Amino acid sequence: MGKKLKVGKTRKDKFYHLAKETGYRSRSSFKLIQLNRKFQFLQKARALVDLCAAPGGWLQVASKFMPVSSLIIGVDLVPIKPIPNVVTLQEDITTEKCRQALRKELQTWKVDVVLNDGAPNVGANWQHDAFSQAHLTLMALKLACEFLNKGGSFVTKVFRSKDYQPLLWIFQQFFKKVQATKPQASRNESAEIFVICQGFVAPDKIDSKFFDPKHAFKEVEVQAKTVRELIPDKKPKAEGYSDGDLTLFHTFTLTAFLKADNAVDFLGKASEITFDNPDLESHSATTEEIKECCRDIKVLGRKELRLLLNWRSKLRRYLAKKLKDEAKQLDQEISLSSDEEESDSEEKPDKKKKMAEEEDGGDEEDDEEAEMEKKLAELKAEEVAELKRKKKKLLKERRKQRERVELKMDLPGVSIANTDDASLFSLMTVKKQKALTDISKGDMQAADALVDGEDDLHFSDEGDDDDEADKMSLASDLDDDDLADVEQRQKELEKKAPKKKSEMCSCSCDLTILFSNSTSMNIVDVWTLLNNFSVRLKATGLPHFVFNWLFLCSSGKKARILDAEGLALGCQIATSKKKARDLVDSSFHRFANSDEPWEVPEWFLDDERKHRKKPVPVTKEMVEEYKQKWREIDARPIKRVAEAKARKKRRMLKKMEQAKKKAEAVVNTVDISEREKMAQLKSIYKKAGVGKEKRDVTYVVTKKGAGKKVRRPPGVKGVFKVVDGRMKKDMRGMQRKEQHTKGNKTTKTRDKRQK
Ligand SMILES: C[S@@+](CC[C@H](N)C(=O)[O-])C[C@H]1O[C@@H](n2cnc3c(N)ncnc32)[C@H](O)[C@@H]1O
């Protein structure tokens, strides 16, 4: 019969195979690789001692990551197969002999790192094993304290048992920084954990009691009090077994959960809650989700654990109420059955007891409420944190945008990167966009709907979610200063005309959509729209507010929506308030709101289209100036091109540098002639790509044929070369012919072979 092996140990996981493939002697090598990747203690170390090192996987990793010619010593009870540049000792690390052997090996040296992956021979009793492991760790620490340099590191394996906390405390007495972690390569089912102690303080004198297990290991009981403690932000650490308990799966009844003094701690220990009370199982609070959660508590997150706690509170309240009702009913029965008064007197103590319990239930309710409040406060704090995160994200985005503008990757107010303009996808926006298109076509009914309508296009004072989203998109289109400015003005206007608030919202948002989304609109469209709107705007008394927008948009902050003409116009408005006012005033004219009420001939309409609009007060020169500016901006190389050019330049310089060195070597060579030197120098510089500069050659096609002497044709300057127009064609013809004959030959030989 074969020996029955433990499943966890025999299971060959990816690290096992990886170790086999990469030539590491043990899968634990990857634990050290991962620990070192996180804490970087091997790279700087010049000397290292690996305690309990067989078969030598950690030693291999150490010799790979430590600087060449570092001193590496490995100790183990069993012999370690030799590893290049590693000294191995066969000793028991708990003995004095081992200490002396190490002293002999190290002489006066001290080491920078002490590793300990020691695992005593485990067997019959987990509790005993855990203790021997902790003892082994303590002995490893003792050696570390003797041989470590000041500031050195001690990396050790520890099993999560009751001795874990005392061990951590002891480590903290000797090292500045003590961190526990479980590398990925460590199996989840293993209770091992790795503690990285950094910054050895090297005390002058060490009390021997630190290394005496009797003194060192005292019980430290830690109870979880909050859900956050139960599920920390970081990856949970592996838990060891508690005394006398050799299973990891713990099942409790619902009654036990309801009776538990500390519900959170209870959840920390329980793996499953079973239903032992049908009444509670069918309670409305016991939803399918709750039942699912009860099946495997270990996999639950904070949210689900809170759900269970709330459920518990509900059930407890329900039970308390039920008891109360029962007591009341009992009371009524007592008062009704006067005949049984005497017998009642015997039962009364029982009822009183129940009443007292009921009162206790009331106290419990208070506790529950306090607990609930505490939880609510926790939730609130989480919400606040979430909000803070969002704000931080928003600020980060704005900072990035500013940086992009500084790097000339974006224009002010225009983000190439930020294309997630929420307002583009808002249903409200789409509706308004349609209405605006209609208005721009002259449909003033749509304008009526926009401004006066109580329908879904209307922006109410309270503002629903969509309103908020649109306002947000409006805000996110401006930078901080603009936003503050606009908000300030909005407040002032609200004070001045409180009744017009809803109208103001309506107008301002319409224009926002116009300016933020109408990328294709030019100033004439804007102008027409404003003309169409002008009467309404006048009615709301908000032309200045509207023109704040126009100003912001046209003075470069919204450059993307305006063409050169628009920019020129915006510039005019920006320079003078009067000009802006005049511009608005001039939009109120008799053609502003005409609806073509009568039939007119086509020629008249054409004429009207051409001439009825007041010309925009912008000169051609101004438009040209802004066009030129756009051209300059367009001509700027994009960042990637600039980077590629810089890379090319760097490569060239490097090549030149190398060529220069080679050329110097050639020049300094004595045993070759000057001519040879010249030839070599030429070839070096040619290879480096610094040959003769390419001359501009003009090709002259003649019928006489290439290479023949031809007079300089009139109008040709500089170097010219005579070529035959037919040559290319002839060459190609010849090549074709050659291929053809080759093909024939191969088919003939194939035929011959077949024959
Ligand atoms: C998990 S293995 C170490 C694996 C090693 N880190 C590697 O990467 O190859 C644990 C080792 O601790 C050793 N060990 C246990 N008790 C010891 C002691 N008292 N002194 C020295 N070595 C010990 C065992 O012999 C065993 O080789």
Side-chain angles (χ1 to χ4, degrees):
M1 288 268 287
K3 202 179 160 191
K4 209 177 176 188
L5 291 161
K6 284 183 198 170
V7 178
K9 295 266 171 178
T10 48
R11 206 188 60 229
K12 290 169 181 172
D13 65 355
K14 64 174 178 185
F15 289 108
Y16 170 86
H17 292 291
L18 207 59
K20 284 267 167 276
E21 278 163 27
T22 49
Y24 282 118
R25 291 183 184 180
S26 63
R27 65 183 295 292
S28 19
S29 312
F30 297 100
K31 297 178 197 171
L32 186 64
I33 290 174
Q34 285 164 356
L35 289 173
N36 182 54
R37 192 186 301 149
K38 195 166 172 189
F39 298 96
Q40 303 278 321
F41 44 82
L42 291 180
Q43 282 82 343
K44 285 175 248 156
R46 302 284 305 164
L48 172 143
V49 169
D50 183 7
L51 303 169
C52 309
W58 280 27
L59 289 172
Q60 287 176 306
V61 175
S63 75
K64 186 176 173 193
F65 285 92
M66 281 168 69
V68 197
S69 77
S70 300
L71 174 61
I72 301 171
I73 304 172
V75 188
D76 201 288
L77 278 175
V78 295
I80 304 165
K81 263 204 278 171
I83 298 171
N85 306 320
V86 173
V87 178
T88 54
L89 302 171
Q90 190 181 350
E91 298 290 349
D92 178 349
I93 66 156
T94 60
T95 59
E96 174 63 21
K97 199 173 150 247
C98 172
R99 201 186 67 84
Q100 282 171 2
L102 275 171
R103 174 62 41 243
K104 200 176 156 198
E105 207 61 52
L106 285 166
Q107 301 288 342
T108 53
W109 268 56
K110 293 247 172 183
V111 298
D112 303 304
V113 177
V114 172
L115 305 176
N116 169 42
D117 189 23
N121 283 333
V122 285
N125 183 337
W126 198 94
Q127 211 180 321
H128 175 260
D129 293 344
F131 173 78
S132 7
Q133 212 286 334
H135 179 238
L136 200 64
T137 310
L138 206 61
M139 293 304 107
L141 174 71
K142 193 178 176 186
L143 287 177
C145 287
E146 180 163 355
F147 294 109
L148 265 182
N149 260 328
K150 197 174 179 173
S153 304
F154 175 52
V155 178
T156 181
K157 175 158 81 185
V158 182
F159 278 95
R160 288 287 300 247
S161 67
K162 65 184 172 50
D163 302 326
Y164 173 69
Q165 291 295 343
L167 265 176
L168 271 195
W169 181 82
I170 297 171
F171 294 154
Q172 277 157 1
Q173 308 314 304
F174 295 108
F175 295 88
K176 282 183 189 156
K177 206 172 178 188
V178 176
Q179 284 159 284
T181 184
K182 190 169 173 74
Q184 223 195 344
S186 170
R187 287 191 176 101
N188 279 343
E189 58 268 24
S190 158
E192 77 181 8
I193 191 165
F194 289 84
V195 182
I196 289 82
C197 310
Q198 285 170 308
F200 180 54
V201 288
D204 297 334
K205 216 177 159 213
I206 298 174
D207 192 338
S208 60
K209 277 182 191 163
F210 275 118
F211 308 117
D212 181 353
K214 275 184 221 149
H215 285 93
F217 304 133
K218 280 179 191 164
E219 215 162 292
V220 182
E221 183 87 17
V222 189
Q223 264 203 348
K225 288 183 187 65
T226 62
V227 177
R228 192 172 281 278
E229 274 175 50
L230 209 58
I231 303 187
D233 290 329
K234 287 178 188 163
K235 199 179 164 195
K237 290 157 189 166
E239 291 285 340
Y241 302 80
S242 45
D243 291 0
D245 180 9
L246 300 181
T247 56
L248 283 172
F249 199 85
H250 299 117
T251 306
F252 293 102
T253 60
L254 176 57
T255 315
F257 180 41
L258 295 177
K259 279 184 181 167
D261 292 335
N262 185 335
V264 180
D265 197 49
F266 178 93
L267 288 177
K269 283 168 191 154
S271 311
E272 185 191 13
I273 294 175
T274 53
F275 290 89
D276 57 344
N277 183 332
D279 186 23
L280 297 179
E281 192 174 355
S282 57
H283 191 271
S284 61
T286 314
T287 58
E288 275 310 308
E289 190 185 358
I290 294 281
K291 282 180 191 167
E292 196 54 46
C293 290
C294 288
R295 256 169 232 143
D296 197 351
I297 293 162
K298 288 276 179 256
V299 300
L300 301 186
R302 268 185 216 150
K303 198 178 142 220
E304 288 85 12
L305 288 173
R306 286 205 182 98
L307 209 69
L308 284 187
L309 289 175
N310 286 340
W311 171 60
R312 179 179 178 266
S313 308
K314 275 184 201 160
L315 291 188
R316 276 167 68 105
R317 247 177 276 146
Y318 164 74
L319 285 177
K321 197 167 168 269
K322 203 174 156 192
L323 265 176
K324 221 179 195 177
D325 291 345
E326 276 174 12
K328 254 187 204 167
Q329 218 177 340
L330 220 66
D331 243 4
Q332 280 168 1
E333 277 170 23
I334 292 161
S335 58
L336 280 173
S337 57
S338 51
D339 298 347
E340 293 164 14
E341 232 172 89
E342 278 174 26
S343 58
D344 275 353
S345 62
E346 284 171 41
E347 285 173 26
K348 260 183 183 168
D350 261 15
K351 283 159 204 161
K352 276 182 184 165
K353 206 175 155 191
K354 280 205 171 177
M355 291 292 276
E357 272 177 19
E358 182 195 305
E359 271 169 27
D360 279 353
D363 282 354
E364 268 175 23
E365 259 182 59
D366 287 348
D367 288 350
E368 307 262 299
E369 264 169 35
E371 205 179 306
M372 284 294 283
E373 268 171 27
K374 202 175 148 195
K375 270 173 232 152
L376 274 174
E378 264 179 44
L379 282 175
K380 195 135 191 122
E382 262 175 40
E383 265 173 34
V384 171
E386 180 69 30
L387 270 175
K388 273 188 185 168
R389 260 198 304 279
K390 277 186 184 165
K391 195 179 164 189
K392 212 171 153 190
K393 202 178 155 197
L394 194 74
L395 289 173
K396 198 178 161 192
E397 270 169 22
R398 285 193 186 160
R399 199 180 55 238
K400 267 190 185 171
Q401 166 66 2
R402 248 176 252 141
E403 280 170 11
R404 291 174 76 83
V405 171
E406 276 164 24
L407 288 168
K408 306 264 184 291
M409 287 163 73
D410 269 357
L411 289 170
V414 187
S415 172
I416 296 164
N418 186 13
T419 50
D420 51 350
D421 187 354
S423 64
L424 268 175
F425 304 102
S426 148
L427 190 61
M428 179 80 71
T429 312
V430 174
K431 284 178 185 172
K432 283 179 169 290
Q433 191 79 44
K434 193 178 170 299
L436 283 167
T437 321
D438 291 345
I439 297 163
S440 65
K441 285 178 190 162
D443 180 0
M444 286 313 289
Q445 268 176 355
D448 283 341
L450 263 173
V451 179
D452 302 321
E454 293 290 320
D455 58 13
D456 55 351
L457 288 178
H458 185 76
F459 279 72
S460 73
D461 252 3
E462 280 92 54
D464 55 20
D465 286 352
D466 288 350
D467 292 357
E468 282 305 318
D470 283 341
K471 281 176 196 164
M472 275 300 286
S473 76
L474 154 81
S476 59
D477 269 14
L478 303 170
D479 59 35
D480 288 350
D481 299 342
D482 299 336
L483 205 60
D485 195 2
V486 171
E487 274 170 5
Q488 178 65 25
R489 278 163 190 273
Q490 217 164 352
K491 272 180 200 157
E492 279 170 24
L493 281 162
E494 273 172 28
K495 269 185 214 159
K496 278 182 202 163
K499 280 179 203 162
K500 302 272 167 89
K501 198 178 171 186
S502 62
E503 286 168 351
M504 181 175 92
C505 284
S506 172
C507 288
S508 60
C509 292
D510 298 338
L511 282 162
T512 313
I513 294 155
L514 163 72
F515 286 116
S516 59
N517 295 334
S518 305
T519 43
S520 60
M521 268 196 181
N522 62 19
I523 191 63
V524 182
D525 297 332
V526 175
W527 197 245
T528 318
L529 198 60
L530 275 175
N531 281 343
N532 287 334
F533 258 111
S534 56
V535 180
R536 315 251 159 220
L537 296 174
K538 194 90 181 165
T540 59
L542 292 169
H544 290 291
F545 177 73
V546 172
F547 267 87
N548 266 333
W549 284 107
L550 181 58
F551 163 72
L552 285 175
C553 298
S554 51
S555 60
K557 307 256 157 101
K558 287 278 153 194
R560 72 183 150 140
I561 61 146
L562 295 177
D563 52 12
E565 194 181 22
L567 282 171
L569 177 61
C571 185
Q572 269 206 351
I573 299 165
T575 49
S576 150
K577 274 188 183 173
K578 188 174 175 299
K579 274 184 187 168
R581 210 167 38 241
D582 288 348
L583 209 60
V584 179
D585 288 345
S586 62
S587 70
F588 303 115
H589 51 80
R590 66 200 165 99
F591 300 118
N593 205 12
S594 101
D595 277 333
E596 312 288 359
W598 64 84
E599 286 277 321
V600 284
E602 196 53 37
W603 65 262
F604 178 79
L605 284 176
D606 265 0
D607 235 29
E608 280 291 277
R609 245 172 251 136
K610 275 180 205 155
H611 306 297
R612 82 171 181 185
K613 280 177 207 156
K614 199 173 169 144
V616 184
V618 179
T619 61
K620 268 188 180 173
E621 290 73 40
M622 286 169 80
V623 174
E624 193 46 48
E625 188 187 323
Y626 280 93
K627 269 187 187 166
Q628 184 55 34
K629 275 187 188 167
W630 274 122
R631 263 179 236 128
E632 275 167 25
I633 290 169
D634 284 347
R636 269 182 216 154
I638 56 169
K639 198 182 163 199
R640 279 179 166 219
V641 176
E643 279 172 358
K645 277 186 181 168
R647 269 200 303 275
K648 201 174 169 189
K649 202 174 169 185
R650 268 203 303 278
R651 269 201 300 271
M652 270 300 292
L653 284 173
K654 205 174 160 190
K655 263 190 184 177
M656 275 298 292
E657 203 60 41
Q658 282 167 354
K660 217 170 139 186
K661 272 183 198 161
K662 277 186 196 167
E664 271 171 15
V666 170
V667 172
N668 294 336
T669 322
V670 274
D671 47 357
I672 54 171
S673 70
E674 286 300 308
R675 204 179 161 151
E676 268 176 84
K677 274 184 189 177
M678 274 307 289
Q680 281 187 17
L681 285 177
K682 254 187 195 174
S683 92
I684 286 169
Y685 280 110
K686 200 178 170 189
K687 270 182 198 162
V690 233
K692 267 189 205 167
E693 264 187 32
K694 264 193 176 179
R695 289 181 301 178
D696 278 340
V697 182
T698 315
Y699 292 93
V700 177
V701 182
T702 64
K703 281 179 190 168
K704 283 184 180 175
K708 291 195 177 156
K709 276 208 167 181
V710 174
R711 273 198 192 165
R712 181 182 289 275
V716 175
K717 282 179 187 168
V719 185
F720 73 97
K721 211 171 175 185
V722 181
V723 288
D724 190 332
R726 294 165 301 173
M727 214 162 79
K728 251 187 198 170
K729 271 187 198 167
D730 295 347
M731 287 283 282
R732 280 186 196 145
M734 269 157 64
Q735 274 171 2
R736 261 201 303 275
K737 213 173 173 183
E738 228 168 74
Q739 274 173 1
H740 191 69
T741 46
K742 254 189 202 172
N744 280 348
K745 268 183 193 169
T746 44
T747 42
K748 271 178 194 167
T749 39
R750 210 187 303 138
D751 290 346
K752 266 184 192 170
R753 261 191 228 136
Q754 277 173 356
K755 275 176 192 171

